[in-house]
Amino acid sequence: MSMSESPLLLVQRPPTFDFMDELLSRNFPILTTHHTSSVPLLVSLSRHASSIRAVVNMGMLKIDADLLSHLPSLQLLVCTSVGTDHIDLPECKRRGITVTNAGEAFSDDVADCAVGLLISVLRRIPAADRYVRSGKWEKSGDFQLGIKLSGKRVGILGLGSIGSFIAKRLEPFGCIISYNSTCQKQSIPYRYYPDVVSLAANNDVIVLCCSLNDQTRHIVNREVMESLGKKGVIINVGRGGLVDEKEMVKCLVEGVIGGAGLDVFEKEPGVPEELFGLDNVVLSPHAAMATPGSLDNIAQLALANLKAFFSNQPLISPVRLE
């Protein structure tokens, strides 16, 4: 297939996320856009909209029925995230549009980050760093005691690829792993809890790495946090909407839970200001997957899915459309 015969791709990305452009443009004709809402996007596309056959979505552009209606030739939607909560999947199914996601492209790095956040919260590493840099160590003496990770009971909410990788990393610390997921996994040795309240009640830490959908939005509510208890820790590397953020802020301020390590938030890039002054909270700017290795994996996976689709070959990381 010559370049002139190749399907036209739209690459929607933030201005600085150009790491995929060269790779894709060597294989397909591409248009790039930085718009994150459909109206200016469609204006910028003008006459090209009806010719676009694939979209590579890197910037969490909301793909809804209205936008899809203006892309009549669209056949494939390639997401560079694992989560697809920004995609109208039923509408994609209705229109016969195939969807792929990031699969396991950055599972290792997100799992590493989750464990790093957990250790940082328990041992107060960022707070200790600030304590030294501010001169307080010299003026005020020893820093407060940290909490050991070894032997902690850790409940994982969502034992998919990332959740499984987190569990494997925590096992050498002697952590006791349990989980809640869409269903019990027969081949898994970890204890299964059928609901999140019981998962929280029987663990010192809960790690959130499940997908965000109508069933999981605010799945960690005040009842769950109260069950976790005043020494309990929440680690979230999934989606901000998994947690009732306003209630979590209250629980942290009031001492209902002991701490949190957060890579994701409900209204990114907005973060509740009440969290900024809490030494038992560690914050990260949705960067759990942000390493050169992950970005290269995602670029190669996106290209592989595109080539497979337009060659009528099996996709590498298809999303099941219910």
Side-chain angles (χ1 to χ4, degrees):
M1 184 185 300
S2 68
M3 187 66 79
S4 61
E5 296 171 330
S6 295
L8 179 63
L9 311 187
L10 173 66
V11 179
Q12 189 282 327
R13 62 170 177 78
T16 56
F17 275 44
D18 59 355
F19 64 93
M20 205 182 292
D21 288 4
E22 183 182 356
L23 180 68
L24 294 180
S25 63
R26 287 202 304 263
N27 294 273
F28 297 93
I30 69 169
L31 297 171
T32 60
T33 179
H34 308 148
H35 293 298
T36 56
S37 58
S38 59
V39 174
L41 170 61
L42 291 168
V43 170
S44 71
L45 291 176
S46 64
R47 60 189 176 86
H48 295 293
S50 61
S51 303
I52 292 167
R53 294 175 60 192
V55 171
V56 178
N57 186 1
M58 298 169 59
M60 301 294 287
L61 170 70
K62 186 175 179 63
I63 307 288
D64 57 17
D66 180 61
L67 177 57
L68 292 172
S69 72
H70 288 86
L71 301 172
S73 301
L74 185 64
Q75 297 172 278
L76 176 65
L77 179 55
V78 177
C79 298
T80 60
S81 60
V82 175
T84 54
D85 48 289
H86 55 303
I87 310 295
D88 188 337
L89 295 179
E91 183 66 11
C92 287
K93 182 178 181 180
R94 191 181 76 79
R95 291 180 173 273
I97 298 168
T98 300
V99 181
T100 68
N101 69 359
E104 297 186 4
F106 49 70
S107 297
D108 274 317
D109 285 330
V110 175
D112 289 348
C113 184
V115 175
L117 285 171
L118 177 54
I119 294 173
S120 295
V121 172
L122 293 176
R123 300 305 304 267
R124 304 284 174 93
I125 292 173
D129 178 84
R130 291 191 294 271
Y131 192 77
V132 173
R133 291 175 189 271
S134 67
K136 289 182 180 178
W137 187 24
E138 186 177 3
K139 295 174 185 175
S140 305
D142 291 341
F143 186 64
Q144 61 187 296
L145 296 177
I147 301 168
K148 70 187 297 182
L149 171 59
S150 302
K152 283 284 178 288
R153 299 171 301 160
V154 179
I156 297 176
L157 179 53
L159 199 70
S161 171
I162 293 171
S164 297
F165 283 22
I166 292 169
K168 289 177 183 177
R169 282 156 173 73
L170 290 174
E171 283 182 345
F173 287 95
C175 292
I176 302 163
I177 309 296
S178 57
Y179 73 101
N180 168 265
S181 206
T182 50
C183 60
Q184 186 170 2
K185 301 177 186 296
Q186 299 303 320
S187 59
I188 299 297
Y190 312 130
R191 180 166 182 176
Y192 172 76
Y193 287 98
D195 61 87
V196 184
V197 173
S198 59
L199 183 75
N202 289 281
N203 281 287
D204 306 302
V205 177
I206 54 173
V207 182
L208 315 183
C209 46
C210 63
S211 59
L212 177 63
N213 52 46
D214 291 341
Q215 289 72 45
T216 60
R217 185 172 299 278
H218 288 189
I219 193 169
V220 177
N221 54 25
R222 187 171 183 103
E223 181 186 8
V224 171
M225 290 181 250
E226 289 176 348
S227 298
L228 185 60
K230 62 182 181 180
K231 293 183 180 180
V233 172
I234 293 173
I235 303 296
N236 192 359
V237 291
R239 285 284 186 267
L242 296 171
V243 181
D244 185 333
E245 195 167 82
K246 289 183 179 179
E247 286 299 325
M248 179 182 64
V249 169
K250 290 179 185 176
C251 287
L252 286 163
V253 171
E254 297 167 4
V256 175
I257 58 175
L262 308 170
D263 183 57
V264 288
F265 305 89
E266 281 209 73
K267 297 179 180 178
E268 296 175 1
V271 177
E273 292 184 359
E274 298 94 325
L275 299 177
F276 295 162
L278 299 179
D279 280 348
N280 59 338
V281 176
V282 178
L283 307 172
S284 171
H286 202 148
M289 49 66 66
T291 71
S294 277
L295 297 185
D296 184 59
N297 289 346
I298 291 166
Q300 295 295 339
L301 178 62
L303 179 61
N305 275 316
L306 285 161
K307 284 185 171 181
F309 181 82
F310 289 111
S311 301
N312 294 314
Q313 299 297 315
L315 295 167
I316 316 303
S317 55
V319 173
R320 187 172 61 189
L321 303 181
E322 301 294 350

